[in-house]
Amino acid sequence: MNVKSKQNDGFKNVLPYIVLMLVIVVVLFTLNMQGMKVNKLSTGELISELKENNVSEITVTPKSDESVFYIEGRLEGYKSSEKFTAKAVGTEMENILSLINKNAVKKYDTNADPGGSVFIYVLINVLPLVLIVIAMYFLFSKLANSNKNSMDFGRSKARLSNDNDKKSFKDVAGLNEEKQEVEELIDFLKNPKKFEKLGARIPKGVLLVGPPGTGKTLLAKAIAGEANVPFFFISGSDFVELFVGVGASRVRDMFKEAKRNAPCLIFIDEIDAVGRQRGTGLGGGHDEREQTLNQLLTEMDGFGENEGIIIIAATNRPDVLDPALLRPGRFDRQVTVSLPDANERESILKVHAKNKILGKDVNLKNLSLRTPGFSGADLENLLNEAALLAVRRNKSSVSMDEIDEATDRVLMGPAKTSRKISDKEKKLVSIHEAGHAVIGLKLEDAQEVHKITIIPRGMAGGYTMMLPKEEKIAVLTKNELLAQITGLLGGRVSEEMFLKEISTGASDDLKRATRIARSMVTEYGMSELGPVQYEEKSEGVFLGRDYNSKSKNFSDQVALEIDQQTRKIIEDCYDKAKKIIKDNEKLIMQLSDALMEYETITKEQIESIVKTGKIKLVEEIEDDSEEAPSKSKKEKKQEGK
């Protein structure tokens, strides 16, 4: 049905042009006929021309209802656009026919009576008029449709979700606390009288705040699905147009439509596109966006407390929103949708792994522990990339090899296996990455080393994957920050000590180390300057705000002290890295040799090098993992005895 409707729509779109072409052909034909020069001859003049043998072409057309003959033709010397016409009756026609036969006119023809053919009569007289009428009809209908569309310019672009797109809390893995926060919204939409009885006011608006990809849109759909109410969804950018006032008109129309379908739920995605603070920026405000925001604020105040309309908005930039939008009575509840922890990541992986064939070696729980900081969208992309790699390799299932490769692709980009690397560059990268790894292995508060590779990916010649030993929410201690800086400087120190030269490969490490050290001094109060915050994060949302925030909040003397303290932290960590790497020179060389030979070594292989000085092959690691369960069973039997 959809294919046929699309074909019909295509035919309807092309038909006006076909009709217009036919009209143009008819008009051109008529003009061409009008451009023909016609000379009218009397019967006597025609007979004289025939006697003088001046007629080169003649056509006779009889009229059935009268004894009249219409004659047309050409005389010698006529141009191609010139002809003569004449009319003869009875005996006159007999004389003309005898002269035609006598002088043997070059081209002589006789036509049937056009009045006897209804088709020819319609074709000549009626069809041009019909085509003109049809063309005018289509042109006027197109004009009417364009006027109708122009009248719909201010209509809301909010779309009503269909039943096939319904979601429930079963489709939302993790987010347990967030679900509890919105449970009463669902209860209100199902049974509003229970709240009215106790005089409770349900929030008019709920703001979902969190990093990109954490499931804010999915959670809003699940709320509507659980409450089984109409779900209108729109993006904040759909309100803003070139012409001032259009966005405000769309806001009015959206709320008008929502009141007709109450109880219902309106979801505004990326509300920061329309809800930014008013009057900001060097160039002043944005009239269209500000009028749209004013109308949104007015409409939210306009409907009653328990009319059954709840607005849910999502953003990852709550700091740029207008304060009037966040006051009680509008978006008076904020729900933070944070990145998932290990248990939630395992649940998310199970949801996205339902339609994929995973190998026996894939353990989703272990994978969740190896992906801290991944959002739900990142995890979905990870499994999808792994499935694409399995298809590319013609495998029947997704194994851990594809998932490891997909993890590297998501974090760093595809491996540049075809790139030729000289032995000198390869040795430099292996020494550099071994320096990072040794700091992670020997420093107490450093992160745990999971993988080292010297295969180039993205802009990096190699990398060391280091993950936290214990997953934390957002709090880091001073020792942990210093350990991060020391680990970042380990690569540069290793180059300097063992190759007697330094490279540009540490540029990103130095940038990150300097950023952490300066934040420790200016934001976290972790220096000799004391617990004072000299700077705060500013991401330059508006040019005006960013411009004003550049003014100094401290004197030049304090600025010098900040630079000195930052340098002191870096130098102390650099000295600590030197000492650790010098004490573990043998381990550096063992890791470097293993990287030169195998290019990539895993956590188990790194532990083997640390303990025995030798690297375990992948087959040996798999054999050990298979033997481990049998040993544990024997130990259990012995314990039971």
Side-chain angles (χ1 to χ4, degrees), residues 112-133:
D113 180 13
S117 175
V118 177
F119 176 75
I120 295 176
Y121 177 80
V122 171
L123 186 67
I124 295 175
N125 297 287
V126 180
L127 184 61
L129 295 175
V130 173
L131 291 176
I132 292 172
V133 170

Side-chain angles (χ1 to χ4, degrees), residues 149-318:
N149 292 334
S150 65
M151 295 299 291
D152 290 344
F153 195 63
R155 294 288 300 274
S156 170
K157 291 188 176 182
R159 298 175 297 278
L160 184 64
S161 65
N162 52 35
D163 294 337
N164 296 329
D165 198 32
K166 275 191 176 182
K167 302 291 182 182
S168 65
F169 281 166
K170 294 180 180 179
D171 301 309
V172 184
L175 303 181
N176 297 322
E177 290 79 10
E178 290 81 355
K179 291 176 186 177
Q180 292 176 3
E181 280 290 313
V182 297
E183 281 281 351
E184 62 187 22
L185 299 180
I186 300 169
D187 196 12
F188 167 74
L189 291 170
K190 287 182 176 179
N191 188 12
K193 292 183 179 179
K194 183 170 71 173
F195 291 83
E196 294 174 2
K197 184 178 179 181
L198 294 178
R201 179 181 65 82
I202 203 71
K204 289 183 180 180
V206 178
L207 185 65
L208 302 180
V209 179
T214 49
K216 297 183 291 294
T217 304
L218 182 61
L219 181 60
K221 287 183 177 180
I223 294 171
E226 290 287 338
N228 196 24
V229 295
F231 179 72
F232 292 92
F233 59 97
I234 188 171
S235 173
S237 59
D238 287 335
F239 291 111
V240 183
E241 284 288 351
L242 175 65
F243 304 106
V244 177
V246 174
S249 175
R250 290 178 177 174
V251 171
R252 286 192 296 270
D253 188 68
M254 180 182 70
F255 279 91
K256 183 179 178 182
E257 189 69 21
K259 288 176 182 178
R260 290 176 187 168
N261 293 273
C264 67
L265 202 148
I266 300 173
F267 176 66
I268 305 176
D269 199 9
E270 305 297 343
I271 195 173
D272 52 276
V274 70
R276 293 194 174 198
Q277 289 188 16
R278 292 165 287 184
T280 51
L282 283 177
H286 187 293
D287 284 341
E288 163 62 0
R289 190 177 65 227
E290 290 185 7
Q291 285 198 19
T292 305
L293 175 57
N294 291 337
Q295 188 64 43
L296 179 61
L297 298 175
T298 304
E299 291 291 339
M300 291 188 71
D301 284 337
F303 65 84
E305 296 174 353
N306 291 324
E307 285 191 11
I309 301 173
I310 295 177
I311 305 173
I312 298 179
T315 181
N316 47 35
R317 297 301 311 276

